[in-house]
Amino acid sequence: MGKLDVTNLRLLSREDFRVLTAIEMGMKNHELVPAILVAQIANLCHGGVHKILRELSKHKLVSYERGKHYDGYRLTNAGYDYLALKVLTSRSVVSSFGSQIGVGKESNIYVVANEEGKMLCLKLHRLGRTCFRNIKEKRDYHQHRKSMSWLYLSRISATREFAYMKALKDRGFPVPEPIDFNRHCVIMDLIDGVPLCNVSEVPNVEGLYDELMDLIVKLGNHGVIHGDFNEFNIMISDDGKPILIDFPQMVSTEHTNAEYFFERDVSCIRNFFKRRFGYESELYPSFKDISREDCIDIEIKASGLTKQMEKDLLVEMGVVEKNDNDNDQNEEVIEKLNENIESLREEVDWMVVKDLGPENSKITNRFDKLSQDNLTLKTPENIIHSDKFNQLLLEEKKEELRDEEDDKSSTIREMSNLSLSNERNCDSESFYDDRSVRSASTAATIAPEVIKRRVRQSLEKRERHGQSRRILAKGEASATTRVRRENRDTIKQSTDGGMWSWD
């Protein structure tokens, strides 16, 4: 993966970021995004986009790959980082970028600073590394999808971590304060401390052990299990207090394997204290000691929680009252909706009849007759049912189609007669004398007004197409293509007009 180099971030133009965003949008349903699609999404000319893609590929922000069916571009991790940092910079969250302070199996940690000079922590999620590619089996980020981009999985992981961190911080847990996030980047407070794995001595081993076990139980009481509660995800501050980090793998206590995850967290702490400090205690919590106090898993939509579990937990916690008459209320709501739909249909029918006008006098007259027979007024409240009106419209439509078929049959007969007359005239000596007859029959088939209208429409369409082409013309390659096209059109018009003769 390599370290992140942000020196080129300030040199990228607005069009460069538009092309990067276009590739990101195209990767939602394309493994490789063609250059033509990038130009369409970015709303830039193809020649200019090709030049920008060449520069972005030089700086390894995008990569050009050859697929089985077509070639295209893929957004790299560096390009995705640049898009996220651009947004965070525009929000005035990040103004300067520091060095790397940590590397994990699924993230990179950097030091950044805001406009006020306050040091912050930037976490870039890096899912898809070779050492941790079984994430699709261990976590339900992809849900029912068969395939998914690693960049999108990183984005989901960062979103979940920020949500967990926000919920835990609001409830008083010792976690870093979340500040902002975008795509796969999370901004949080920088902790003044060291990881527990780098601590060799502590002043009070028993107190730290009890505090960590209480923290595991407290998480369970709020409905979540950390899932990776070990010495690498626990920071010890300068005053000796533990601070919990890394939350994307958290699951609900209603998960099918919740007891296994809980016992694994407890075993990790026990084994570490026995190995590092030589301390072993017979007192440790179990999954049965959990008594639910809050619903963080419902708030964050944690893994392993279904909709029915959410309803049952909300009823159990007293947030929602159970109602046995839910089905009756649903039926009443459906009946009211059907009544409203029927009244709206009647109003629409009346408005259609009112707006038909003199061109469809047949329908209006028949509709008036039915209204008089039913002794109803022309109001939306007393109008006849919509199915009768639909029958009238259907009958009128059938009559129109029948008339059109008669017109077509008559036109075909005229054309057949015309062809027969042409054959006879071609065989006879009076071929040039019968041109007036043929012209008269042709004029009767297609009216001159129709021909003029079609020619005018085609000319207007060609003119609009030429205007749009001139408006979108940008870049060096596009300018060269435009000059060649104009020269070709000039030569074609001059040759068609008869200027050149090759006698």
Side-chain angles (χ1 to χ4, degrees):
M1 295 295 179
K3 296 182 179 180
L4 177 60
D5 186 10
V6 296
T7 54
N8 296 321
L9 181 62
R10 58 187 178 86
L11 302 178
L12 296 182
S13 61
R14 181 171 174 269
E15 287 76 13
D16 295 337
F17 283 105
R18 288 186 66 175
V19 172
L20 289 175
T21 307
I23 297 177
E24 180 189 11
M25 295 175 65
M27 288 181 64
K28 291 181 179 180
N29 49 11
H30 289 77
E31 185 177 0
L32 298 175
V33 186
I36 298 177
L37 182 59
V38 175
Q40 292 176 353
I41 297 175
N43 196 18
L44 298 173
C45 65
H46 188 267
V49 170
H50 180 72
K51 183 178 179 181
I52 294 173
L53 288 173
R54 186 172 64 249
E55 294 295 328
L56 294 177
S57 301
K58 185 187 299 183
H59 297 292
K60 297 182 180 181
L61 300 181
V62 298
S63 62
Y64 179 77
E65 299 181 8
R66 296 183 178 273
K68 295 181 179 179
H69 304 288
Y70 62 93
D71 304 340
Y73 292 87
R74 186 196 302 273
L75 194 65
T76 62
N77 286 316
Y80 206 52
D81 297 341
Y82 273 34
L83 286 173
L85 291 174
K86 176 66 175 178
V87 176
L88 295 174
T89 304
S90 62
R91 295 178 184 174
S92 300
V93 178
V94 177
S95 62
S96 59
F97 201 87
S99 60
Q100 184 175 348
I101 60 175
V103 180
K105 62 181 182 297
E106 54 179 326
S107 63
N108 290 345
I109 313 299
Y110 295 88
V111 176
V112 295
N114 55 12
E115 294 180 350
E116 299 176 356
K118 181 180 179 181
M119 305 296 288
L120 302 174
C121 179
L122 170 65
K123 183 175 182 179
L124 298 175
H125 288 253
R126 287 278 193 267
L127 272 64
R129 289 175 174 172
T130 307
C131 62
F132 196 58
R133 279 189 173 269
N134 56 353
I135 185 174
K136 292 185 178 180
E137 301 176 0
K138 295 180 178 294
R139 302 180 188 174
D140 60 346
Y141 289 168
H142 57 290
Q143 295 180 357
H144 60 278
R145 300 178 181 87
K146 295 182 180 180
S147 60
M148 186 178 294
S149 171
W150 288 112
L151 296 179
Y152 187 65
L153 289 175
S154 301
R155 182 174 187 165
I156 296 176
S157 178
T159 305
R160 284 200 175 188
E161 182 169 19
F162 185 85
Y164 277 122
M165 203 183 308
K166 185 71 174 175
L168 293 174
K169 189 65 177 180
D170 294 341
R171 290 165 175 81
F173 281 86
V175 298
E177 183 179 357
I179 297 175
D180 199 356
F181 80 101
N182 183 263
R183 290 178 175 87
H184 66 308
C185 298
V186 179
I187 304 294
M188 65 188 81
D189 275 345
L190 184 62
I191 302 172
D192 293 333
V194 294
L196 182 59
C197 59
N198 296 335
V199 176
S200 58
E201 295 181 0
V202 292
N204 188 1
V205 179
E206 296 83 358
L208 181 60
Y209 176 84
D210 294 339
E211 194 169 357
L212 293 177
M213 291 299 177
D214 292 341
L215 188 57
I216 295 176
V217 176
K218 187 178 179 181
L219 288 171
N221 294 338
H222 283 75
V224 291
I225 299 174
H226 190 275
D228 198 11
F229 200 94
N230 51 42
E231 63 273 16
F232 299 99
N233 295 326
I234 299 174
M235 301 288 293
I236 303 298
S237 61
D238 296 339
D239 55 356
K241 297 294 181 181
I243 299 176
L244 191 61
I245 60 174
D246 196 8
F247 310 99
Q249 69 284 337
M250 292 185 75
V251 297
S252 171
T253 52
E254 304 297 327
H255 196 278
T256 55
N257 299 324
E259 186 174 359
Y260 166 75
F261 292 136
F262 185 88
E263 293 177 354
R264 188 178 66 178
D265 289 348
V266 174
S267 299
C268 287
I269 298 301
R270 293 187 64 197
N271 294 333
F272 173 76
F273 273 78
K274 180 180 179 181
R275 182 177 64 255
R276 179 63 58 86
F277 306 114
Y279 176 79
E280 186 176 4
S281 175
E282 297 181 355
L283 299 177
Y284 56 91
S286 63
F287 188 73
K288 298 179 181 179
D289 297 334
I290 295 177
S291 59
R292 182 177 284 269
E293 301 175 358
D294 204 344
C295 302
I296 295 181
D297 51 350
I298 298 177
E299 179 181 347
I300 309 300
K301 304 292 182 181
S303 301
L305 193 66
T306 61
K307 293 183 178 180
Q308 186 61 38
M309 291 180 182
E310 292 180 8
K311 294 180 182 179
D312 297 339
L313 288 174
L314 290 175
V315 172
E316 184 179 353
M317 296 295 296
V319 179
V320 178
E321 296 181 359
K322 187 176 181 181
N323 192 357
D324 297 333
N325 299 325
D326 291 340
N327 295 330
D328 298 337
Q329 291 181 356
N330 292 334
E331 292 178 357
E332 293 178 359
V333 171
I334 292 172
E335 290 179 358
K336 291 181 180 179
L337 289 175
N338 292 332
E339 292 177 358
N340 294 333
I341 292 171
E342 187 65 26
S343 62
L344 290 174
R345 286 177 179 174
E346 293 177 353
E347 292 180 5
V348 170
D349 292 342
W350 170 248
M351 295 302 296
V352 170
V353 173
K354 184 178 179 182
D355 296 337
L356 282 175
E359 298 178 356
N360 298 281
S361 58
K362 295 181 180 179
I363 301 178
T364 54
N365 294 334
R366 295 169 68 180
F367 188 81
D368 294 338
K369 185 177 179 181
L370 286 173
S371 300
Q372 293 175 2
D373 294 340
N374 289 278
L375 298 178
T376 57
L377 297 175
K378 293 182 182 179
T379 57
E381 292 80 5
N382 299 322
I383 199 166
I384 62 175
H385 294 288
S386 60
D387 53 355
K388 295 182 180 180
F389 181 70
N390 293 333
Q391 292 178 1
L392 294 178
L393 291 176
L394 184 59
E395 292 175 0
E396 187 66 21
K397 188 65 177 177
K398 288 181 179 179
E399 292 180 2
E400 293 178 358
L401 293 175
R402 199 177 296 113
D403 295 338
E404 291 179 359
E405 291 178 358
D406 295 339
D407 295 339
K408 289 180 181 179
S409 60
S410 62
T411 304
I412 292 171
R413 286 195 297 271
E414 291 178 0
M415 294 297 293
S416 61
N417 296 331
L418 178 62
S419 61
L420 290 174
S421 63
N422 288 338
E423 292 177 359
R424 295 192 191 98
N425 293 329
C426 289
D427 296 335
S428 63
E429 297 178 356
S430 59
F431 175 73
Y432 294 100
D433 297 336
D434 295 334
R435 282 183 296 179
S436 60
V437 177
R438 291 199 308 275
S439 62
S441 61
T442 304
T445 304
I446 302 176
E449 294 79 5
V450 177
I451 296 175
K452 292 180 181 179
R453 185 173 67 253
R454 292 180 181 177
V455 172
R456 191 183 303 109
Q457 290 177 355
S458 63
L459 292 175
E460 291 177 355
K461 183 178 180 181
R462 185 181 302 175
E463 186 179 358
R464 288 195 302 268
H465 183 67
Q467 289 178 356
S468 62
R469 181 181 296 175
R470 287 193 295 271
I471 291 172
L472 293 177
K474 296 179 182 179
E476 298 176 359
S478 179
T480 305
T481 305
R482 183 172 65 255
V483 172
R484 292 175 180 175
R485 188 186 301 113
E486 291 176 355
N487 293 336
R488 185 171 60 252
D489 294 340
T490 303
I491 296 172
K492 185 177 180 180
Q493 292 175 3
S494 61
T495 54
D496 293 342
M499 284 182 61
W500 309 99
S501 61
W502 304 97
D503 296 338

